Amino acid sequence: MASADKYNVESAEILANSALHLPIAQAAPIYEQLLSIFPTAAKYWKQYVEAQMAVNNDDATKQIFSRCLLNCLQVPLWRCYIRFIRKVNDKKGVEGQEETRKAFDFMLSYVGADIASGPVWMEYIAFLKSVPAANPQEESQRMTAVRKAYQRAIVTPMHHIEQLWKDYENFENSVSRQLAKGLISEYQPKYNSARAVYRERKKYVDEIDWNMLAVPPGDSCKEEMQWMAWKRLLAFEKGNPQRIDSASSNKRIIFTYEQCLMYLYHYPDIWYDYATWHATSGSTDAAIKVFQRALKALPDSEVLKYAFAELEESCGAIQSAKKLYESLLGDGSATTALAHIQFIRFLRRTEGVEAARKYFLDARKSPNCTYHVYVAYALMAFCLDKDPKFAHNVFEAGLKDFMHEPVYILEYADFLSCLNDDRNIRALFERALSSLPQEDSIEVWKRFTQFEQTYGDLASMLKVEQRRKEALSGTSEEASSALESSLQDVVSRYRFKDLWPGSSKDLDHLSRQEWLAKNIGKKGEKLALCNGSMTIGKSPSAPTNNFTASVKAVYPDTSQMVIYDPRQHPGSGVPPSTTPANLAASNLSNPMAAVVDGGSANAFDEVLKATPPSLMAFLTSLPAIEGPMPNVDIVLSICLQSDLPTGQTKKSTTVPSQRTAGPAPSTSDLSGSSKSHPVPSSSSFRPRDRHLGKRKDQDRQEEDESTTVQSQPLPRDVFRIRQIQKVARGGSASQTGSVSYGSAISGDLSGSTC
């Protein structure tokens, strides 16, 4: 397998299946390759050893078992081991039986606590019963061995526990009914407890994939679910649900950790948890062995090396810890800055300040020494030696190489702030800002400004703020406006941490105004301050009476979740008949529209072409969406105050788009201009019940005047027809609130608007 696909599970399965059909001489290299990548894959070890057993390669089989058994605590593999042992010792008589018994005891000491070990216990008990007894003493010894095996099995939470209990009852009754009664009553509560714990344990075990291969941590859902399943099982075992003695409980916890590492072999947190559990349990030697195994499995894990060194240092093994730190330092060329820093701290703790200083002088010559090393050593020396002059010299030495690092400048400034050395702080800022490029000096300018706001006088504070604006304004068109003072400057000047000089509403307003000010002068667009909308220019090439083709509703990109900024498309135009006043009016109330020319339209434009003109007029009157949802009050206000196109009538022949920006309220109120719309009065808003007495007369009058409406098909809704007719004849009667209100309610005005 290629190195890129080293841990490819599918490729591994294909190789393993191909090895099944090959002679052992050809299959052995494949198994060795697989097991070098997946050393805890019990199923591959079992397949490998069975292939050797099939050709009676006993020596090779023993060697394989010695490599895998203790690292793969899986019952099927261990049962294969017992089969091999019994096969080898069957013809050796008493000596062979003793070897087999020892092998059973060896196996049960490792996997006897497995939930799937029931068949192993049954096989072991059957083997003990089959051992011949030459005399009553041997018979008594055999019965005692069988009884102990049963008693160990029936207190282990595992499959087949109920069957083992029944077999135990039958066994005791077959030996002595009188003795059986006392033994059964003694072990009945222990068995009941084990059976209850088994049922709980089974819930956790069933979540685990026992065929999973050990691969490095990934981001797949399956791997995360398996990690969680093992953590839950470990927590369950640590809780000692069976309330057994601590030695037996610890043995089960160790067994669970070992099984977990078969599948999460490349997870450093599992290794660390295992070692830490040993250390907190008082077994430091076991914790050290776990860390040693962990670094063998994950030799490149820096965090495990630090954790191991920490354990060694806490136990007083300073030289062992030092070797671990030196392994992190490597050959010097690839040493990280963090390794230098941690080794300096280790030397200071274990060998004193002089040893740390000596190493710092060597580390600063390293090609991989960054400003972090200078900062860490200077602060450590200042804290321990209480000598600010020495720490100051370290920072100054670092400036020779790291004057271009803004973070280093800020760290140095913080150190000087601790010394209340305002003179050197100002000098440091001036030196740094004279050499830093503009794009790297933003944070330094910010800190310089904050320093003057806190410790300087008013003149120096204002001077530094102005210098900052001049330095960061650049050569853009907004440079002149950026140099102007704003209320935001005062807010920044007089805030302190999370305390602000104003209400959240006022601050939000200022932020919005600042954003508008930054974007108002951009090329290709002019953002109007009224309603956050956008004004557009005229283009005589646009068609005259084609409102739907000249308006495009633009929607925000919700995936970005920023304030929506509708932009004008190139080549835009408006009908030449539109006057400047009506142009501004229609667009100031239309921040979601942009005029486009007759170019290629996308699928959404095709949908807009089929949209009724009245609906399009309403859509283009909606405000800009500032955030995830519009302001409901503004939308309702537009619904009540907007004047949608109604077409020509006999009583009112002026097309809305051709009305001039005269002072007459009938045009300004109905054109959707930026002037404030009057709130409809109670006289304009007449409830329907006031017209009940005049309903019949109105019906006759509306039928007579139905010819004034355009000849295109009208909606079938009678209420809508009447509202449209009211609009058609209401030019002189009531053109302020009632017409707009009726238009908004009717929804669809007529078949043609312009």
Side-chain angles (χ1 to χ4, degrees):
M1 289 181 288
S3 58
D5 297 327
K6 182 178 180 180
Y7 293 102
N8 189 300
V9 176
E10 290 77 10
S11 299
E13 292 292 340
I14 293 173
L15 276 177
N17 290 331
S18 66
L20 286 172
H21 309 288
L22 296 175
I24 188 60
Q26 299 177 16
I30 296 177
Y31 287 124
E32 292 292 342
Q33 179 185 2
L34 284 172
L35 294 169
S36 65
I37 300 171
F38 304 103
T40 58
K43 60 181 181 180
Y44 292 159
W45 284 111
K46 182 174 179 290
Q47 187 175 325
Y48 188 16
V49 77
E50 285 178 340
Q52 295 286 4
M53 289 171 61
V55 293
N56 296 319
N57 288 342
D58 293 347
D59 293 337
T61 302
K62 291 179 181 178
Q63 185 180 8
I64 295 172
F65 277 129
S66 65
R67 293 166 55 191
C68 69
L69 280 180
L70 299 182
N71 294 326
C72 299
L73 302 183
Q74 191 187 58
V75 169
L77 177 63
W78 281 80
R79 294 191 71 183
C80 183
Y81 164 71
I82 283 296
R83 288 200 306 270
F84 171 72
I85 294 297
R86 298 189 70 168
K87 173 187 173 183
V88 172
N89 293 292
D90 273 349
K91 300 179 180 179
K92 295 183 179 179
V94 177
E95 183 181 353
Q97 290 176 351
E98 182 63 20
E99 291 294 329
T100 303
R101 187 189 62 80
K102 290 180 180 179
F104 267 114
D105 289 337
F106 174 69
M107 176 179 65
L108 290 171
S109 65
Y110 279 93
V111 298
D114 194 297
I115 197 171
S117 62
V120 178
W121 286 101
M122 291 181 177
E123 184 179 356
Y124 179 42
I125 293 171
F127 167 75
L128 292 177
K129 290 180 179 179
S130 66
V131 175
N135 51 60
Q137 183 179 359
E138 292 180 358
E139 178 66 20
S140 176
Q141 292 176 352
R142 185 180 67 174
M143 290 296 102
T144 301
V146 172
R147 179 177 288 112
K148 288 182 179 179
Y150 269 123
Q151 291 173 352
R152 289 171 59 193
I154 60 177
V155 297
T156 303
M158 61 183 174
H159 306 315
H160 310 288
I161 188 173
E162 295 178 354
Q163 182 62 44
L164 282 165
W165 174 254
K166 292 179 182 178
D167 293 344
Y168 176 57
E169 286 183 320
N170 294 333
F171 168 75
E172 291 292 359
N173 287 323
S174 66
V175 175
S176 171
R177 287 187 174 274
Q178 184 176 2
L179 182 61
K181 186 176 180 181
L183 290 173
I184 291 174
S185 62
E186 178 185 353
Y187 278 89
Q188 180 82 47
K190 298 178 181 179
Y191 157 72
N192 291 336
S193 176
R195 184 178 61 176
V197 172
Y198 157 70
R199 291 172 180 173
E200 289 297 319
R201 178 193 274 187
K202 187 175 183 298
K203 297 177 184 178
Y204 297 101
V205 171
D206 288 345
E207 297 178 357
I208 295 173
D209 180 9
W210 298 95
N211 290 317
M212 176 181 173
L213 291 177
V215 296
D219 55 357
S220 69
C221 180
K222 180 181 178 182
E223 293 177 9
E224 293 176 352
M225 294 299 292
Q226 287 299 299
W227 180 87
M228 293 173 63
W230 277 109
K231 295 289 281 187
R232 284 192 290 264
L233 179 58
L234 286 166
F236 172 76
E237 295 294 353
K238 288 178 181 179
N240 191 8
Q242 201 173 347
R243 301 296 182 265
I244 55 180
D245 60 279
S246 59
S248 301
S249 176
N250 289 345
K251 189 175 181 180
R252 287 188 185 176
I253 296 171
I254 293 171
F255 171 75
T256 307
Y257 266 117
E258 293 291 344
Q259 277 198 325
C260 177
L261 289 171
M262 289 174 57
Y263 305 94
L264 305 183
Y265 185 72
H266 299 278
Y267 285 65
D269 60 309
I270 300 297
W271 286 104
Y272 177 75
D273 289 347
Y274 189 17
T276 303
W277 175 81
H278 271 302
T280 54
S281 299
S283 182
T284 305
D285 293 339
I288 292 174
K289 290 180 181 178
V290 170
F291 270 125
Q292 290 172 346
R293 290 171 56 195
L295 293 180
K296 184 178 180 181
L298 304 171
D300 298 328
S301 177
E302 292 184 26
V303 66
L304 281 179
K305 289 182 180 179
Y306 285 126
F308 189 13
E310 185 179 89
L311 176 66
E312 295 279 23
E313 184 180 350
S314 65
C315 296
I318 304 301
Q319 292 304 315
S320 298
K322 189 173 183 179
K323 289 181 180 178
L324 287 168
Y325 279 107
E326 290 173 347
S327 68
L328 287 164
L329 296 174
D331 56 3
S333 60
T335 305
T336 63
L338 181 61
H340 285 308
I341 293 170
Q342 296 303 333
F343 192 49
I344 289 173
R345 292 178 174 178
F346 170 77
L347 290 175
R348 194 271 306 167
R349 292 194 303 267
T350 58
E351 300 181 18
V353 176
E354 283 301 320
R357 180 178 302 178
K358 183 179 179 181
Y359 181 78
F360 167 73
L361 296 176
D362 293 336
R364 60 183 293 190
K365 302 175 184 177
S366 171
N368 295 325
C369 180
T370 65
Y371 71 88
H372 304 84
V373 180
Y374 282 84
V375 173
Y377 179 68
L379 296 180
M380 183 190 73
F382 174 60
C383 180
L384 296 175
D385 294 348
K386 306 297 187 295
D387 185 2
K389 184 176 180 181
F390 179 77
H392 188 276
N393 293 338
V394 173
F395 273 113
E396 283 295 324
L399 278 181
K400 298 177 182 178
D401 297 323
F402 305 112
M403 178 66 82
H404 62 283
E405 292 285 352
V407 181
Y408 184 73
I409 302 300
L410 299 179
E411 291 286 350
Y412 191 7
D414 288 340
F415 166 73
L416 294 175
S417 296
C418 295
L419 303 179
N420 295 323
D421 192 352
D422 59 319
R423 183 176 180 180
N424 280 325
I425 292 176
R426 289 188 175 93
L428 172 65
F429 281 133
E430 296 292 351
R431 291 163 59 193
L433 292 172
S434 64
S435 60
L436 283 173
Q438 178 181 347
E439 60 274 9
D440 295 336
S441 63
I442 297 175
E443 287 299 321
V444 179
W445 273 113
K446 180 180 178 181
R447 185 67 65 85
F448 193 11
T449 305
Q450 291 175 350
F451 171 79
E452 291 294 347
Q453 290 173 356
T454 306
Y455 303 105
D457 54 27
L458 183 59
S460 63
M461 174 170 49
L462 297 177
K463 182 179 179 181
V464 170
E465 286 185 5
Q466 187 65 22
R467 288 177 57 198
R468 174 192 178 191
K469 290 182 179 181
E470 293 174 356
L472 301 181
S473 61
T475 58
S476 61
E477 294 183 0
E478 298 88 3
S480 58
S481 62
L483 294 177
E484 298 177 358
S485 297
S486 67
L487 194 57
Q488 280 282 14
D489 298 333
V490 181
V491 171
S492 175
R493 201 176 299 146
Y494 287 95
R495 60 163 291 199
F496 180 74
K497 296 187 180 297
D498 59 341
L499 303 177
W500 296 84
S503 65
S504 59
K505 182 178 180 181
D506 293 340
L507 296 174
D508 290 342
H509 172 73
L510 288 176
S511 298
R512 174 64 180 169
Q513 296 301 101
E514 184 182 26
W515 180 84
L516 291 172
K518 289 180 180 178
N519 292 275
I520 196 171
K522 288 187 176 180
K523 292 183 178 180
E525 66 179 29
K526 292 182 179 180
L527 296 179
L529 296 180
C530 181
N531 294 332
S533 60
M534 182 177 67
T535 60
I536 55 176
K538 289 182 62 178
S539 176
S541 61
T544 304
N545 292 322
N546 192 4
F547 185 79
T548 59
S550 64
V551 178
K552 177 183 177 183
V554 183
Y555 295 88
D557 183 5
T558 56
S559 64
Q560 300 298 323
M561 295 305 292
V562 296
I563 296 178
Y564 176 50
D565 180 17
R567 297 181 180 275
Q568 177 181 351
H569 293 271
S572 61
V574 293
S577 60
T578 306
T579 62
N582 288 329
L583 179 66
S586 63
N587 288 283
L588 284 175
S589 61
N590 176 23
M592 294 184 63
V595 179
V596 296
D597 58 2
S600 60
N602 55 22
F604 186 70
D605 294 331
E606 296 296 331
V607 176
L608 292 179
K609 289 181 180 179
T611 304
S614 56
L615 178 59
M616 177 56 68
F618 173 73
L619 288 176
T620 55
S621 299
L622 294 177
I625 300 177
E626 301 176 2
M629 63 182 63
N631 189 315
V632 178
D633 294 333
I634 295 177
V635 175
L636 290 176
S637 176
I638 290 175
C639 292
L640 294 175
Q641 298 178 17
S642 63
D643 178 35
L644 304 183
T646 59
Q648 294 181 351
T649 64
K650 291 183 178 181
K651 293 186 178 181
S652 178
T653 59
T654 304
V655 179
S657 63
Q658 295 175 339
R659 293 172 183 167
T660 60
S666 61
T667 57
S668 62
D669 291 341
L670 294 176
S671 63
S673 68
S674 59
K675 295 180 180 180
S676 61
H677 296 275
V679 178
S681 63
S682 59
S683 62
S684 299
F685 274 59
R686 295 190 183 95
R688 293 183 59 185
D689 55 0
R690 297 184 181 181
H691 298 278
L692 293 179
K694 302 178 182 180
R695 189 62 177 267
K696 294 183 179 180
D697 295 338
Q698 287 181 353
D699 291 346
R700 296 191 190 97
Q701 184 179 0
E702 289 167 359
E703 290 175 1
D704 295 338
E705 294 178 357
S706 62
T707 57
T708 63
V709 186
Q710 293 184 3
S711 60
Q712 293 191 9
L714 294 174
R716 295 183 180 181
D717 191 300
V718 177
F719 177 73
R720 290 187 178 183
I721 294 174
R722 291 169 182 165
Q723 295 296 328
I724 295 170
Q725 291 171 346
K726 288 181 182 179
V727 172
R729 70 172 188 274
S732 60
S734 175
Q735 296 183 1
T736 57
S738 61
V739 175
S740 299
Y741 184 69
S743 301
I745 292 179
S746 62
D748 192 4
L749 300 178
S750 65
S752 176
T753 57
C754 298

